[in-house]
Amino acid sequence: MNTYSQGKLQAYKDKNENRARLLIKCPDQPGIVAAVSKFLSDHGANIVASNQYTMDPEGGEFFMRVEFDCPDLKENAERIELEFLPLASRFQMEWKMMYVSELKNMAIFVSKEPHCLLELLWEWQSGDLMANIALVISNHETAREMVESLGIPFYYIPASKEIRKQVEEQQKQLLEQYDVDIIVLARYMQILTNDFVKGYENRIINIHHSFLPAFIGAKPYERAYQRGVKMIGATSHYVTSDLDEGPIIEQNIGRVDHRDNEDAMKKIGQSIERSVLARAVKWHLDDRIIVHRNKTIVF
């Protein structure tokens, strides 16, 4: 890790040593916001951000994200979580408490095309991607030099559908070794098995080079060109067992016309892919996403 990135990450951790985020999903009913606010106040916390959304105030699902500062948070975290349990039970909450200074460990999977990987590395180098990039795994050697030059471990594991399970066992061992919290598929052109995906539910983020649900699967730029589209796009989503159909986190588009062939569309699309993936990853790292069925609520 270069000293600039290391300094940025350490400064972020120090600044946020007493900050936490609380994500809540539960049936909507009166009093949720008041009860959560009172609980935090009673524990000496100061709310610095609060967002809520209801799918229907009459019996719909309610979502909430609260960010707060609390003195001596590390020493009091276990007690706060324990004492929150009765309130969570009362409102039938699914909830998670995340501590901002505990940076997530990220693994990046990549194949031949490095543009999305390079975007993430640049964001990380510049101090705008708050995570530990623990390792990069690839089925090609293309990105080795650019990764190892930053002091990040690089693992080359050849992959194909014939040896998929064997490859995933090697990958799982590395993910466990590095205690990985989130996996980013930065144009990793291999399909993951259901068993692999289940082990990291809502923790694998993919970038697909089309504006889903259009052009699911392989060669979307070629198919877009053949179809004569006037817009192309990119979609970042959580990976599920259904190919390119997981909960969508972020999307964007760019205009094209009859003069743009497949190569031109690909060049335009790569710029969109990079920014869409980077935003989705940052939102996940900032604990801004709550998954509900096959949708996301992004605060």
Side-chain angles (χ1 to χ4, degrees):
M1 181 186 295
N2 64 55
T3 54
Y4 182 80
S5 301
Q6 192 172 25
K8 283 280 190 176
L9 292 176
Q10 189 58 53
Y12 180 82
K13 291 171 66 174
D14 293 343
K15 179 182 177 181
N16 292 286
E17 63 179 357
N18 287 320
R19 181 163 293 191
R21 300 171 183 137
L22 176 60
L23 295 185
I24 294 169
K25 176 168 68 172
C26 65
D28 198 0
Q29 55 191 292
I32 301 170
V33 175
V36 172
S37 300
K38 184 178 185 303
F39 174 87
L40 293 174
S41 177
D42 289 346
H43 286 77
N46 179 42
I47 294 173
V48 296
S50 181
N51 301 93
Q52 305 88 38
Y53 168 71
T54 181
M55 301 189 85
D56 185 345
E58 300 296 330
E61 202 74 14
F62 177 82
F63 308 88
M64 186 175 185
R65 177 187 184 272
V66 184
E67 190 163 337
F68 62 91
D69 289 330
C70 187
D72 303 316
L73 183 59
K74 184 176 290 187
E75 293 78 4
N76 295 317
E78 187 175 344
R79 176 178 61 85
I80 291 172
E81 290 196 34
L82 188 63
E83 293 178 0
F84 188 74
L85 290 174
L87 189 152
S89 178
R90 171 185 162 196
F91 288 101
Q92 300 174 286
M93 292 177 178
E94 295 178 32
W95 62 283
K96 291 190 295 184
M97 190 87 75
M98 278 73 60
Y99 301 96
V100 179
S101 64
E102 296 178 1
L103 299 181
K104 295 176 177 64
N105 293 328
M106 178 192 301
I108 302 175
F109 285 28
V110 65
S111 290
K112 284 184 179 179
E113 297 182 344
H115 56 284
C116 287
L117 167 67
L118 286 170
E119 183 74 16
L120 296 174
L121 294 177
W122 165 247
E123 293 278 1
W124 176 77
Q125 282 181 276
S126 61
D128 292 324
L129 189 74
M130 291 302 160
N132 297 314
I133 301 182
L135 73 162
V136 173
I137 295 175
S138 181
N139 58 328
H140 294 274
E141 289 277 12
T142 311
R144 178 182 291 278
E145 185 177 351
M146 59 188 76
V147 171
E148 292 185 338
S149 67
L150 298 174
I152 300 170
F154 179 90
Y155 292 90
Y156 167 56
I157 305 177
S160 66
K161 62 182 180 181
E162 290 78 18
I163 57 170
R164 187 164 290 152
K165 289 190 176 181
Q166 175 186 334
V167 168
E168 288 187 349
E169 282 305 314
Q170 291 178 263
Q171 292 169 341
K172 286 178 185 178
Q173 290 175 13
L174 288 169
L175 297 174
E176 291 173 8
Q177 177 185 333
Y178 285 92
D179 193 22
V180 165
D181 302 297
I182 170 179
I183 301 167
V184 180
L185 307 183
R187 292 301 302 271
Y188 181 66
M189 309 308 288
Q190 294 288 318
I191 295 174
L192 303 177
T193 67
N194 293 346
D195 288 342
F196 187 97
V197 171
K198 287 176 183 176
Y200 292 89
E201 185 179 11
N202 298 329
R203 292 191 292 149
I204 306 175
I205 296 178
N206 183 46
I207 183 68
H208 182 68
H209 40 312
S210 78
F211 193 80
L212 294 175
F215 306 121
I216 289 172
K219 299 185 176 180
Y221 290 127
E222 290 86 339
R223 291 153 60 202
Y225 172 72
Q226 292 165 7
R227 184 64 181 83
V229 303
K230 304 306 178 188
M231 289 185 179
I232 58 171
T235 303
S236 188
H237 63 94
Y238 287 116
V239 176
T240 63
S241 56
D242 298 315
L243 181 65
D244 295 331
E245 294 191 10
I248 291 172
I249 304 170
E250 172 64 331
Q251 296 180 291
N252 204 354
I253 57 171
R255 296 199 66 85
V256 295
D257 62 28
H258 60 278
R259 290 165 292 194
D260 295 310
N261 59 20
E262 295 173 18
D263 289 338
M265 285 189 180
K266 184 175 180 180
K267 187 173 182 180
I268 295 167
Q270 286 181 340
S271 178
I272 304 170
E273 293 167 35
R274 289 161 41 199
S275 59
V276 167
L277 180 61
R279 284 197 295 274
V281 171
K282 287 181 181 180
W283 291 342
H284 181 96
L285 296 175
D286 287 344
D287 305 307
R288 295 189 175 277
I289 307 169
I290 300 177
V291 177
H292 178 63
R293 297 173 185 165
N294 203 42
K295 293 183 178 182
T296 61
I297 288 81
V298 183
F299 287 119

